[in-house]
Amino acid sequence: MKHSILIVEDEEKIARLLEIELQFEGYQVCKEKDGIDGLETYCKGNWDLVLLDIMIPGLNGIELLRRIRKHDANVPVILLTAKSSIADKVEGLDLGANDYVTKPFVIEELLARVRAALRVGATKDMAPQVVDQWLSAGDLRLHEGTREVLRGEHNIELTPREFDLLVHLLRHQRQVLSREQLLENVWGIDYMGDTNVVDVYIRYVRNKIDPTRQLPEMIHTVRGIGYVLKESL
């Protein structure tokens, strides 16, 4: 069965190139030029992956990504962006994008990222749903089924990526995990982005589970190696 891919890209030459290359690889492809039409087409279809330009008219790519994630937390989304700073990339990932490709891109790399994102998406679809399982360390608790996160009695709101990162740390308590291990298990084995995105997300999670910096530290840095979650050193 062919995978279906939605392209939302206002630059006609890029959109046409993507359409031709993806169709040649055997994918079913639909393309839209602006965010409003892209959202309408997305809602009408059953897409396996979305290629989404950030700078599009009507409804920008970031807002379209937000709306897609409200509808479906799992469909892979790859951002196409002319922005290259770490902050811009992290913003897109933090909003739920699976990956990003910076323009100008090499088509072979983009196709590899599409294949990787589709494999990760298929793995999530096949994974059994967790109905009633709590993970905990000290007063930090996380429910995998309801996606609740509590520190004491305080409810903590995490993005999907932050949640997945904390789950992995809790599942491997007292085990020192390298950045490469975290990238492989949280972002996916085929993730080809910057390893320092791990440091950014560790900081995000730390700030959310202890915003006042007055609680016992849970996530510790092991210099030169990575991170470990445990109640105390």
Side-chain angles (χ1 to χ4, degrees), residues 5-172:
I5 296 178
L6 173 62
I7 301 168
V8 187
E9 167 63 70
D10 65 324
E11 294 185 52
E12 182 57 36
K13 289 183 178 179
I14 293 178
R16 181 58 179 154
L17 170 65
L18 291 171
E19 181 181 37
I20 291 171
E21 293 290 344
L22 289 167
Q23 287 178 339
F24 183 78
E25 293 293 317
Y27 301 112
Q28 292 181 338
V29 180
C30 178
K31 55 184 172 60
E32 296 291 353
K33 294 181 179 180
D34 66 68
I36 295 174
D37 290 340
L39 178 61
E40 182 178 353
T41 300
Y42 172 80
C43 292
K44 289 180 179 178
N46 184 20
W47 305 100
D48 296 305
L49 183 139
V50 179
L51 285 173
L52 177 58
D53 183 26
I54 290 181
M55 303 299 292
I56 50 176
L59 191 70
N60 68 46
I62 294 298
E63 181 57 32
L64 178 53
L65 173 60
R66 285 194 182 99
R67 298 193 187 192
I68 288 174
R69 281 293 171 250
K70 287 182 180 179
H71 182 268
D72 188 335
N74 293 322
V75 61
V77 177
I78 298 177
L79 295 178
L80 305 175
T81 174
K83 299 180 178 181
S84 58
S85 74
I86 294 297
D88 293 324
K89 294 172 182 177
V90 168
E91 180 185 11
L93 293 169
D94 196 37
L95 289 169
N98 298 76
D99 201 353
Y100 60 84
V101 176
T102 303
K103 299 177 184 178
F105 53 81
V106 177
I107 191 63
E108 288 80 6
E109 179 186 356
L110 185 140
L111 292 173
R113 290 175 183 261
V114 166
R115 291 191 294 270
L118 287 170
R119 284 195 294 272
V120 172
T123 300
K124 288 183 177 180
D125 288 340
M126 293 184 295
Q129 296 297 310
V130 178
V131 178
D132 187 21
Q133 180 177 348
W134 284 93
L135 299 173
S136 63
D139 62 349
L140 177 65
R141 295 183 296 146
L142 177 151
H143 193 287
E144 295 187 78
T146 63
R147 302 184 75 85
E148 292 176 89
V149 181
L150 300 171
R151 186 78 190 266
E153 298 302 319
H154 178 66
N155 185 63
I156 299 168
E157 296 291 335
L158 298 180
T159 66
R161 188 76 69 183
E162 293 165 354
F163 183 87
D164 291 344
L165 176 58
L166 186 56
V167 167
H168 193 71
L169 290 169
L170 282 166
R171 284 178 177 170
H172 298 83

Side-chain angles (χ1 to χ4, degrees), residues 166-208:
L166 186 56
V167 167
H168 193 71
L169 290 169
L170 282 166
R171 284 178 177 170
H172 298 83
Q173 290 180 50
R174 308 191 69 81
Q175 179 181 339
V176 178
L177 301 170
S178 68
R179 291 172 179 82
E180 290 75 16
Q181 287 174 310
L182 291 169
L183 281 174
E184 178 177 332
N185 288 283
V186 178
W187 277 260
I189 192 170
D190 297 296
Y191 178 79
M192 293 179 278
D194 303 289
T195 59
N196 58 357
V197 73
V198 174
D199 304 321
V200 174
Y201 273 84
I202 288 288
R203 185 171 70 249
Y204 287 167
V205 174
R206 279 173 168 164
N207 289 340
K208 288 187 177 182

